[in-house]
Amino acid sequence: MITISKENYLKSIYTLAKGNGNFVSLTELSKELNVTKSAVTEMSKKLYEQGCVKYVRYKGIKILPKGKKIALKVIRKHRLWELFLVETLNLSWDKVHLEAEKLEHFTSDFLIDTIDEYLKYPKLDPHGEPIPCKDGSYRYKINDIPMSECILGKTYKVTRVNDREEELVRYLSKIDIQLNREIKIIEKLKFDNSVIIEVNGVKHSLSSKLVDNIFLTKANG
Ligand SMILES: [Zn+2]
């Protein structure tokens, strides 16, 4: 039986491995899920017994096709719900993540496929994350870089933000950062990895935490 907690583990393993089946350490996983390392070890054993992951001592765990299928299903539900809430209830992009965290576990395949069709098979969620199709493939391939890798003086377009912390997303709205917004990199401060940017003629200093959670692509021209 797959429980909510198992779904969250598989989702985190898949996400931490960046979708390419890398090994994820148990320490990383416990940090990500905010649980103890013994809890992670315990759950890893169960997932291993169910054929969802492979476990190698000192290396960590690696998601197997069975686990990946479950993870992608949960991610699909999460991202489609977020978009549905934004599009139909006009909720702002900083209000939908926590709702989707709950809904993703209680939605039938039938309902999510209906939502997918209703939204006309969208490629991206409100935070710029690609939505997996019914068969687990993606209609869109991520092609962006984190803000920390951006070049000084160049202008970029926001493609994706990490939505895990509502407050972080809310702050971005406050300083007028949203998807497709053009941002100019004014200064990169090496000593604390913060970045000074310009949005619509206004300068802002972004902490390294913000910098790590914003992804961009070069703006045309
Ligand atoms: Zn989300």
Side-chain angles (χ1 to χ4, degrees):
M1 201 182 98
I2 289 295
T3 63
I4 293 175
S5 158
K6 272 181 205 162
E7 288 187 338
N8 283 336
Y9 268 81
L10 290 168
K11 191 172 69 164
S12 294
I13 297 163
Y14 178 80
T15 311
L16 285 172
K18 300 197 162 52
N20 57 18
N22 290 332
F23 276 94
V24 172
S25 78
L26 298 190
T27 315
E28 257 181 295
L29 195 55
S30 75
K31 242 194 243 162
E32 168 80 11
L33 289 157
N34 207 10
V35 293
T36 62
K37 208 155 159 221
S38 61
V40 170
T41 310
E42 188 73 14
M43 181 58 88
S44 302
K45 260 187 228 155
K46 280 187 200 155
L47 292 172
Y48 169 78
E49 280 159 17
Q50 292 177 5
C52 292
V53 299
K54 182 177 168 180
Y55 174 72
V56 176
R57 235 183 170 186
Y58 305 120
K59 260 184 133 176
I61 39 185
K62 184 179 165 147
I63 204 156
L64 291 175
K66 187 180 171 192
K68 186 176 163 186
K69 208 175 154 193
I70 296 164
L72 280 167
K73 236 182 203 190
V74 181
I75 292 169
R76 168 175 162 81
K77 288 173 183 174
H78 181 101
R79 294 181 180 166
L80 278 168
W81 268 122
E82 285 189 338
L83 189 65
F84 182 83
L85 295 175
V86 166
E87 297 268 311
T88 62
L89 300 183
N90 290 320
L91 291 184
S92 65
W93 72 335
D94 58 276
K95 290 264 175 0
V96 294
H97 176 74
L98 289 178
E99 297 301 333
E101 283 284 278
K102 296 174 214 149
L103 291 163
E104 66 187 22
H105 304 291
F106 300 102
T107 309
S108 68
D109 291 351
F110 164 72
L111 180 58
I112 210 64
D113 292 346
T114 308
I115 288 175
D116 195 14
E117 189 188 343
Y118 178 83
L119 295 172
K120 303 195 172 68
Y121 308 105
K123 291 189 183 99
L124 301 170
D125 80 3
H127 311 102
E129 295 287 358
I131 299 169
C133 301
K134 201 175 171 175
D135 66 1
S137 67
Y138 284 100
R139 296 182 194 109
Y140 184 87
K141 199 172 178 299
I142 292 179
N143 179 28
D144 53 20
I145 53 168
M147 186 178 271
S148 55
E149 287 175 22
C150 288
I151 300 163
L152 215 59
K154 294 257 187 267
T155 302
Y156 293 86
K157 222 170 60 181
V158 179
T159 50
R160 198 157 55 95
V161 302
N162 188 338
D163 66 345
R164 236 97 54 85
E165 281 177 61
E166 272 190 12
E167 234 179 293
L168 190 148
V169 184
R170 208 171 304 133
Y171 181 72
L172 294 181
S173 303
K174 213 172 130 190
I175 60 170
D176 203 23
I177 290 183
Q178 48 175 278
L179 292 190
N180 292 317
R181 181 67 87 228
E182 286 199 353
I183 285 183
K184 192 173 175 190
I185 310 293
I186 303 293
E187 207 175 337
K188 291 170 93 174
L189 304 172
K190 285 231 169 70
F191 66 94
D192 67 352
N193 295 320
S194 64
V195 174
I196 297 172
I197 57 155
E198 193 182 298
V199 188
N200 284 336
V202 184
K203 288 195 177 80
H204 298 281
S205 171
L206 302 186
S207 67
S208 65
K209 183 161 183 187
L210 281 162
V211 168
D212 288 341
N213 285 294
I214 303 173
F215 299 83
L216 312 111
T217 178
K218 267 217 187 99
N220 295 327

